[in-house]
Amino acid sequence: MTAMLLSEAEKTFILHGVEDNFRVDGRGRGDVRPMVLETGVVSHASGSCHLRLANTDILVGVKAELETPLPGAPDCGRVEFFVDCSANATPSFEGRGGESLATAISGVLSRAYSNKEVLDLSKLVVLAGQTCWILYVDILVLEVGGNLCDAVSIAVKAALVSTRVPKVTVTAVDGGEPEIEVCDSVGPEGYTRLDLSKAPILVTLARIGNHCIVDTSPEEETCSSASLLVAVTPKGEMATVRKVGGGSFHPATLLSATKMAVTVGTELNRVLMVKLDQEEKMGEDREKIGFL
């Protein structure tokens, strides 16, 4: 993504604010901006979520389809991530400008959800070696206002939590192939939910000066020479760690950064699940804002 053009005086002002633990918008180094999240906004999807974090706007849709499992994993389903960076999100996404960023985000999400401890893909199998559920997670970046990876990961987890996988029954036929019947009931008896109790969310720590901050604004991202992407589970365990950028981290800074990531990630996971539980209790009749 193209960095914002800032003068040296603006960069110095941001740097001094981070050093004093008083950022430009009044937040501390470990504070996250307010966000608005809503699930079930796409009616034809198996699960969906719309999230707005400051000026960052994300829409996620999940589609469950029956297909053949991979030969190397006949007893597992699959989760595939596709990221589409809209040209309206930022001028740098015009043409093929957002392809590299989209590939990087989908790769990080794939690694974060590839662990069996995070998501048990064996529960998506209908007939071992023949049929399984594949979850296609489509992520649309509508607007970029900083901290894109974290916003995408939160929206993806919320969409997967709200995903309804239809129940299926397998009927054995004498001398023929088994028949699979998909339940068409719209009530709770017609679908199952995924167990996302151990699913992580990404926390990006940007190094500015000798300190790291979370939930960076576009101006702060311009002042950062290196970032650390940490996938944090609800129990405070790190599932994935990746460094981004050409800068480096001092060992002491790296240690404090990972501790901050665990603290922030654990709290974000807790607040997210509380929000999703509230929506679930409100039921289908709750008022939906949508994304238009």
Side-chain angles (χ1 to χ4, degrees), residues 206-229:
R207 184 175 70 81
I208 298 180
N210 295 322
H211 300 279
C212 290
I213 59 174
V214 300
D215 189 18
T216 52
S217 65
E219 294 81 5
E220 291 170 335
E221 289 179 350
T222 302
C223 299
S224 174
S225 60
S227 298
L228 200 67
L229 267 66

Side-chain angles (χ1 to χ4, degrees), residues 29-30 203 205 212-214 255-265:
R29 290 191 285 264
V203 178
L205 299 115
C212 290
I213 59 174
V214 300
L255 183 61
S256 62
T258 53
K259 288 182 178 179
M260 180 188 293
V262 169
T263 302
V264 174

Side-chain angles (χ1 to χ4, degrees), residues 240-251:
T240 303
V241 180
R242 179 189 178 194
K243 189 186 82 68
V244 180
S248 60
F249 283 87
H250 189 274

Side-chain angles (χ1 to χ4, degrees), residues 165-267:
V165 180
K167 291 183 179 180
V168 295
T169 56
V170 180
T171 304
V173 179
D174 294 338
E177 293 291 332
E179 292 185 355
I180 299 175
E181 296 182 2
V182 180
C183 181
D184 56 359
S185 176
V186 296
E189 68 280 356
Y191 61 83
T192 59
R193 293 289 182 94
L194 302 172
D195 181 13
L196 274 297
S197 59
K198 298 180 181 179
I201 60 174
L202 297 177
V203 178
T204 303
L205 299 115
R207 184 175 70 81
I208 298 180
N210 295 322
H211 300 279
C212 290
I213 59 174
V214 300
D215 189 18
T216 52
S217 65
E219 294 81 5
E220 291 170 335
E221 289 179 350
T222 302
C223 299
S224 174
S225 60
S227 298
L228 200 67
L229 267 66
V230 184
V232 183
T233 66
K235 292 185 178 181
E237 300 171 347
M238 293 184 291
T240 303
V241 180
R242 179 189 178 194
K243 189 186 82 68
V244 180
S248 60
F249 283 87
H250 189 274
T253 305
L254 186 63
L255 183 61
S256 62
T258 53
K259 288 182 178 179
M260 180 188 293
V262 169
T263 302
V264 174
T266 304
E267 180 63 15

